[in-house]
Amino acid sequence: WGEPGTHVRIHRFLTGKEPNVKPLSGLTAAILLQAAIIGYGGAGVQPDFDFEAPDQHSTQKRIAWAMINDPKLAEACQKEGIGSKARTQTEAVTNPSLSSRATVMLRAKKILDLSEEELNTLAFLGQNVAPGVRVMVDKVRANPTRLGFVTCFTVDCLNRRYAAPAAPQDAPGSPTSPTAPTISEADTLFSQPSTGSSAFIVVAPDLISIYEANFWYHGISGGPPKLMWRSDLETNPFPTPQPGDRFFKVPTKTAHGVFNTPLNDVWDIVAPQIIASMKAHGLKYSALKAVRFSTLEDGKEDETFGPVVVWIAVRPNTTNAGAVRDATPDILGILADANITGVVVEWYKGSVQKLVGPPLMRVEDNASPSFGLNHPFNTGLGIPIARLSDDAQGTLTFLFREVKDSNGRPSDRILALTNKHVASVDTTTNYEFNEADSQHILVCGERRLARAVVEIEDAVNKDFRDAVRLTEELVGLESKPGGQNSGAARRKKFALEEKNEDIAILQTLFTEVEADWKDVERRKLGLVDWAPEISVRFDDRHYTGDIATFAVDGAKLENFESNIETSQLKDLFWPIAAVRNNRTIPANLQLPIRNALPRLVINPDTEDKNGQPLFIVAKYGNTTKLPLGRYSGTDAYTCTDLGLESREVVVYNYSKSSGDFSGHGDSGSLIFTGDGDGLAILHSGMPRGIHNHVTYGTPLWWVIKQILVKYPSAEFYDITYTLD
């Protein structure tokens, strides 16, 4: 399994046929895990349990070690004629400093300047090289005039993609608060039913069919929750495939916020009454929220919108469909007493989960090939962070100045905001900076760093392939009469020159990352300064107080100017041009955060193609990066398995194709609008399997209010706010 003294975590999977069939374990379990990771999400997705031992070496390193230390494998290498090559590659993998010394000078060398023997030694040519790599090297050598710029670095990026084991997936593993419940192991993504006749039969104690339970919420996320019961079951039948219907497609739903309805006006009155009613029925709720679903049926262009839904999640394994059905009339009665009619009550199972060197680089111009790729290391918002103690990862919310310390003396400290459960292992105690118990925060955990390197390599590979394609197209054009001087040829020559420049810039970025950011000591960003226990009792509003600050090393911030959101922002916040009113993302794609949205003044500022009110938000997180979401319009009321009740800002996924709005490792992200208004600080979600269909956060204005209690003179880099 690897070098002596190191550990490997072994997994077992129940088959459901115990005790007659033993659980799957060892190599089989490892293969299943890797297949699930690739099949259900790719980069940024990992199991929501500890996948590896704390000191576990990578698969590549363990295989490399075995190649020269296991007698049978070593003998096989010798017989295949790759003994010396295996040892060289093993030393490069197991001794990073040796690898760095051996490759730094080679990276800048051009492929055309290397002999056949050198290319074979570097595994760029030869019998055991991946065909895709060999083909690309042959094309470079066949077109020295136009592809002569290709270096060892460029081919090595391609070689690692083709030949190496899959790169480490980013599972930031933002820790779960001790008060946060876990998902039921029974409610996994792998329980999707067939469409056989038995799937449409209602089997007690369920009150709806397996088919409807699994597909009622199809589309709101990659792993939507299962419906338990709904109050319009009799009047609104769910479409099902009919006998002989071979091409039936399940309708796709999207969750929308609720705006400008009678329920909005009385939500803060009826919601506590609904909670009291559920408790009187002995139900243990996880979340109470309002939502409206649109449905798109196969073959139709326009969505249809359903009624407003009071959407209730109950804790898994605590109740059944009959109990929630029996509690529904009282809830409808509460709504009727408030003159709210036409509303549907829907129930499902779910739990809220917490989603947890050198100076930082400048934010690159959006024309640069490294724009977006250097985000983990630049001063834009959404900096990925991790605890030094255990590599648990999250996201930095924003930076602020202290101005004056607790004694009123001038202070030049700059502090960063994130979640308590990101900054501290123990979330149940208050922490203030203690030199004897200092808690370091890093820029990028190990897994995020690995993914950043892979992203750069992928960009190089794309540019390399594009360069080869352009060269082949130029050769084809020039073979035709007049083709050499044609407009198409000129454009392709210009594009080829750009690819050459882009690859050189990416090589510089790659070298910077390797030289400046791989050493943990050089990734230290700051020390935790203040991290109060997670609480819902800061005041009578009962928002989740999951906040922490850390003092940032000033040397890291020499390129910092203000709190800005960067990356590939687009004009998607206002999808209808008629209501956009000339609002747009800045041309340089750097959006300054200017304001914390005040309470009760958050109204939809646009509409969708159907004329429905819409409030689109975004966030940049460690894991899911920059997806869009739909603000719900009303607060959610949530309850943990320990009975802690709180209010939360709610964001739904934008659409099925857009992916999840948040995932593990995004905790601490700032949720913002296209106008640069801050809405909330993200802290948790409601996942099922590896997907998340609801995201929760704490209002930014309320968080700023708590910061000012601790740091009365704090300034927030021109972010304006109103404290309610």
Side-chain angles (χ1 to χ4, degrees):
W1 291 101
E3 298 178 64
T6 62
H7 299 86
V8 175
R9 191 180 299 279
I10 307 299
H11 300 276
R12 293 193 305 165
F13 289 92
L14 299 178
T15 64
K17 299 179 181 179
E18 288 76 18
N20 297 324
V21 178
K22 293 182 179 179
L24 299 176
S25 61
L27 179 61
T28 303
I31 292 172
L32 287 173
L33 273 173
Q34 291 294 342
I37 290 169
I38 296 169
Y40 282 99
V45 175
Q46 281 278 57
D48 55 6
F49 51 84
D50 290 333
F51 185 37
E52 297 178 343
D55 63 343
Q56 182 169 326
H57 289 161
S58 68
T59 302
Q60 183 181 4
K61 183 172 181 178
R62 287 185 285 123
I63 291 174
W65 183 88
M67 292 284 281
I68 61 172
N69 289 279
D70 182 276
K72 291 184 178 180
L73 289 177
E75 181 183 355
C77 288
Q78 293 297 333
K79 288 181 178 179
E80 294 291 333
I82 58 173
S84 59
K85 177 183 172 184
R87 181 170 293 278
T88 300
Q89 292 184 338
T90 298
E91 289 174 345
V93 172
T94 58
N95 186 346
S97 61
L98 174 63
S99 173
S100 177
R101 291 194 302 270
T103 59
V104 70
M105 296 183 67
L106 278 173
R107 280 183 184 152
K109 275 201 169 187
K110 295 179 179 178
I111 294 299
L112 296 179
D113 295 336
L114 299 176
S115 67
E116 193 87 10
E117 182 180 358
E118 288 173 319
L119 289 170
N120 277 273
T121 301
L122 292 170
F124 294 165
L125 288 179
Q127 183 179 0
N128 297 300
V129 175
V133 176
R134 184 167 57 247
V135 167
M136 296 293 275
V137 172
D138 287 341
K139 289 181 178 181
V140 171
R141 299 171 81 193
N143 295 277
T145 303
R146 293 196 171 89
L147 295 175
F149 63 85
V150 175
T151 63
C152 290
F153 164 76
T154 307
V155 177
D156 196 41
C157 288
L158 188 66
N159 204 17
R160 282 194 288 273
R161 261 295 150 271
Y162 271 102
Q169 301 296 317
D170 183 25
S174 178
T176 299
S177 163
T179 62
T182 59
I183 333 173
S184 165
E185 293 180 0
D187 286 339
T188 66
L189 196 64
F190 306 100
S191 58
Q192 301 292 344
S194 69
T195 56
S197 59
S198 62
F200 306 109
I201 299 173
V202 178
V203 179
D206 295 331
L207 300 176
I208 57 176
S209 70
I210 297 175
Y211 179 86
E212 181 171 347
N214 279 273
F215 292 116
W216 178 255
Y217 294 119
H218 173 70
I220 68 170
S221 75
K226 294 182 180 181
L227 175 70
M228 291 180 69
W229 172 255
R230 55 188 176 93
S231 60
D232 64 345
L233 187 65
E234 299 298 328
T235 59
N236 181 26
F238 185 52
T240 58
Q242 301 301 309
D245 193 347
R246 298 173 57 193
F247 301 104
F248 178 84
K249 289 188 177 180
V250 179
T252 299
K253 287 189 175 181
T254 300
H256 298 259
V258 176
F259 300 98
N260 305 328
T261 72
L263 182 61
N264 291 81
D265 297 331
V266 298
W267 179 249
D268 288 342
I269 298 173
V270 299
Q273 296 174 357
I274 292 172
I275 291 171
S277 176
M278 288 190 288
K279 291 179 179 178
H281 281 271
L283 299 177
K284 298 180 178 180
Y285 80 101
S286 297
L288 166 66
K289 47 201 175 290
V291 67
R292 197 175 181 198
F293 295 106
S294 65
T295 303
L296 182 63
E297 296 184 25
D298 184 40
K300 295 184 179 180
E301 294 184 0
D302 296 329
E303 300 171 293
T304 58
F305 280 78
V308 173
V309 174
V310 172
W311 204 21
I312 305 172
V314 292
R315 292 213 301 274
N317 304 318
T318 62
T319 190
N320 56 45
V324 301
R325 176 200 58 192
D326 294 344
T328 301
D330 286 349
I331 295 174
L332 292 173
I334 291 170
L335 295 170
D337 289 343
N339 296 316
I340 304 299
T341 58
V343 172
V344 173
V345 179
E346 295 182 5
W347 304 80
Y348 70 100
K349 298 176 183 178
S351 296
V352 179
Q353 288 191 5
K354 298 296 181 185
L355 301 174
V356 76
L360 291 166
M361 299 178 182
R362 295 182 184 276
V363 175
E364 290 288 346
D365 184 84
N366 63 300
S368 170
S370 59
F371 179 71
L373 293 174
N374 81 337
H375 187 277
F377 316 103
N378 72 30
T379 55
L381 290 188
I383 297 171
I385 57 176
R387 292 196 298 257
L388 174 63
S389 59
D390 60 359
D391 200 48
Q393 302 181 37
T395 306
L396 185 152
T397 313
F398 61 64
L399 299 167
F400 65 94
R401 294 188 294 260
E402 184 177 37
V403 183
K404 293 181 181 180
D405 65 17
S406 58
N407 296 313
R409 294 187 294 262
S411 170
D412 59 0
R413 287 202 309 167
I414 296 178
L415 296 110
L417 175 70
T418 189
N419 288 137
K420 164 70 171 182
H421 75 268
V422 171
S424 301
V425 177
D426 182 0
T427 61
T428 62
T429 58
N430 295 318
Y431 175 86
E432 295 203 31
F433 174 72
N434 180 354
E435 192 169 355
D437 181 28
S438 57
Q439 300 179 6
H440 286 276
I441 300 295
L442 305 177
V443 176
C444 283
E446 292 295 334
R447 289 158 290 181
R448 183 63 184 92
L449 176 65
R451 182 156 64 96
V453 170
V454 168
E455 288 167 351
I456 297 171
E457 290 177 340
D458 285 347
V460 172
N461 291 338
K462 181 182 182 302
D463 285 343
F464 184 18
R465 293 189 183 96
D466 287 347
V468 170
R469 174 184 53 80
L470 288 165
T471 297
E472 292 175 335
E473 291 173 356
L474 273 169
V475 170
L477 280 172
E478 292 173 350
S479 66
K480 300 175 182 178
Q484 186 170 359
N485 297 318
S486 66
R490 288 194 300 272
R491 288 191 295 271
K492 291 183 187 299
K493 288 176 183 178
F494 180 74
L496 184 59
E497 290 174 1
E498 279 196 326
K499 294 300 176 185
N500 181 4
E501 293 177 5
D502 289 354
I503 291 174
I505 292 171
L506 291 172
Q507 180 171 344
T508 300
L509 174 61
F510 185 92
T511 302
E512 280 187 59
V513 171
E514 280 217 322
D516 295 340
W517 297 97
K518 283 200 168 182
D519 185 352
V520 170
E521 289 298 315
R522 307 193 74 179
R523 292 209 311 277
K524 288 182 177 178
L525 181 59
L527 291 165
V528 178
D529 189 64
W530 174 61
E533 67 172 315
I534 295 178
S535 174
V536 297
R537 300 187 179 93
F538 275 73
D539 58 25
D540 59 4
R541 295 196 185 281
H542 300 296
Y543 287 117
T544 295
D546 186 357
I547 54 179
T549 64
F550 58 94
V552 181
D553 179 0
K556 286 282 193 294
L557 297 177
E558 65 179 51
N559 292 320
F560 175 73
E561 296 176 1
S562 64
N563 289 302
I564 57 173
E565 280 288 356
T566 64
S567 198
Q568 290 78 5
L569 293 172
K570 299 178 181 178
D571 291 335
L572 297 176
F573 289 96
W574 313 284
I576 304 300
V579 297
R580 191 175 295 151
N581 296 326
N582 295 319
R583 290 180 298 178
T584 184
I585 299 300
N588 62 2
L589 301 187
Q590 297 179 19
L591 177 66
I593 303 301
R594 301 175 300 187
N595 179 47
L597 285 170
R599 182 174 180 266
L600 300 180
V601 193
I602 304 176
N603 297 307
D605 59 354
T606 188
E607 61 185 38
D608 62 18
K609 64 180 181 180
N610 302 298
Q612 297 295 324
L614 187 62
F615 198 106
I616 299 177
V617 294
K619 67 101 189 65
Y620 198 103
N622 189 335
T623 303
T624 57
K625 294 190 176 179
L626 187 69
L628 297 178
R630 298 171 184 265
Y631 168 57
S632 70
T634 57
D635 286 347
Y637 291 76
T638 67
C639 182
T640 71
D641 57 354
L642 297 180
L644 293 178
E645 296 178 305
S646 64
R647 291 174 61 169
E648 314 291 354
V649 170
V650 186
V651 176
Y652 301 126
N653 295 342
Y654 184 76
S655 67
K656 180 183 178 182
S657 60
S658 68
D660 296 347
F661 185 73
S662 63
H664 288 284
D666 287 336
S667 287
S669 301
L670 178 66
I671 302 172
F672 61 95
T673 74
D675 289 318
D677 294 327
L679 174 65
I681 172 174
L682 187 157
H683 59 67
S684 59
M686 184 166 279
R688 179 170 178 259
I690 59 176
H691 290 284
N692 191 32
H693 56 278
V694 182
T695 296
Y696 297 110
T698 303
L700 183 59
W701 69 265
W702 186 89
V703 171
I704 289 176
K705 183 177 181 180
Q706 310 314 312
I707 292 174
L708 289 171
V709 172
K710 176 64 178 177
Y711 307 97
S713 300
E715 292 183 357
F716 299 91
Y717 291 100
D718 299 324
I719 296 177
T720 61
Y721 53 87
T722 300
L723 303 182
D724 183 357

